[in-house]
Amino acid sequence: EEWMMADVTTVHRPDNLEVIDGLPERSTQTEMRGAFGENRAVVDSEIRMSSDGERTTIQFMTEDVARDGMVLDADGMDLSAYRENPVVLWQHGRDQRRGKQPIAKTVDIERNGDGYLATIEWYDDDFSQRIKDQVKRGYLNAASVGWRTEDIARGEKPLRVSESDMTEFSIVSVPTDTGALVEE
């Protein structure tokens, strides 16, 4: 329920750090976004490739406690904007070779007991096809969801993001959420 100073520094994505003057007494929506980041990668999820090889099913988000010590509440995630622009990126659009150009699009998304499951259709350019091949061959099998924090459940341990706005999800090589994986 309160901020505490610690002598430990943990860096997940150093290029995304935001310098703050001190710890806020009360967190607001804007402060929470800056303080806790916007992406959550999922490992140990299952990725399943369809028989035609053009579609892949991914558990892209779970309600497990992630490596960042937080839980993302699936029922509090607003997908309405994402459904209008259902992009799947590579490494959250941070790879200089690819930028924010999608590698796939979501063609179906559903809530399941573990969070959210998406079926994606791969883009047909060379880069996207190389990523798809690495997924198919098991060299890549993790996903990561991008969101904007709207509200945090106060006083809960672990910290729970109770309301969020999904912006994208990505295929990633190193995830944070240990349950978001390629399933088929």
Side-chain angles (χ1 to χ4, degrees):
E1 290 186 13
E2 62 184 297
W3 292 93
M4 295 174 38
M5 189 64 76
D7 293 331
V8 177
T9 302
T10 304
V11 178
H12 172 58
R13 291 187 334 243
D15 59 319
N16 241 16
L17 291 177
E18 180 179 322
V19 177
I20 59 174
D21 293 327
L23 296 174
E25 289 184 29
R26 294 195 68 140
S27 55
T28 65
Q29 175 180 330
T30 304
E31 292 164 336
M32 297 313 278
R33 273 183 287 203
F36 297 108
E38 299 172 343
N39 299 310
R40 162 83 47 73
V42 181
V43 295
D44 297 333
S45 62
E46 215 179 303
I47 298 181
R48 298 185 307 242
M49 186 77 67
S50 65
S51 59
D52 66 5
E54 296 306 313
R55 291 189 175 192
T56 304
T57 302
I58 301 171
Q59 179 79 41
F60 69 86
M61 177 257 162
T62 72
E63 292 181 307
D64 296 339
V65 177
R67 290 179 180 156
D68 59 9
M70 294 191 310
V71 173
L72 187 57
D73 188 339
D75 289 331
M77 182 176 278
D78 181 359
L79 281 75
S80 56
Y82 179 75
R83 289 180 195 274
E84 296 295 317
N85 185 39
V87 298
V88 179
L89 300 177
W90 165 244
Q91 303 283 33
H92 296 292
R94 291 185 179 91
D95 187 304
Q96 292 180 351
R97 298 168 295 171
R98 188 63 178 190
K100 297 216 182 264
Q101 184 180 359
I103 59 171
K105 67 179 179 179
T106 298
V107 294
D108 186 44
I109 193 166
E110 65 184 67
R111 174 79 164 90
N112 66 5
D114 296 328
Y116 279 101
L117 196 65
T119 299
I120 66 170
E121 190 171 277
W122 295 93
Y123 187 60
D124 62 1
D125 72 332
D126 289 341
F127 186 89
S128 301
Q129 292 300 302
R130 282 197 310 271
I131 299 300
K132 178 181 90 170
D133 184 58
Q134 289 182 40
V135 167
K136 183 177 181 178
R137 296 175 63 203
Y139 289 96
L140 289 171
N141 68 341
S144 177
V145 64
W147 78 90
R148 187 182 74 232
T149 299
E150 299 290 337
D151 198 14
I152 299 286
R154 307 277 181 234
E156 288 193 27
K157 300 283 184 195
L159 185 66
R160 177 175 288 275
V161 177
S162 58
E163 292 182 32
S164 60
D165 177 21
M166 181 176 169
T167 56
E168 54 87 22
F169 85 86
S170 294
I171 302 296
V172 296
S173 55
V174 180
T176 301
D177 184 342
T178 61
L181 298 175
V182 174
E183 290 197 357
E184 180 179 345

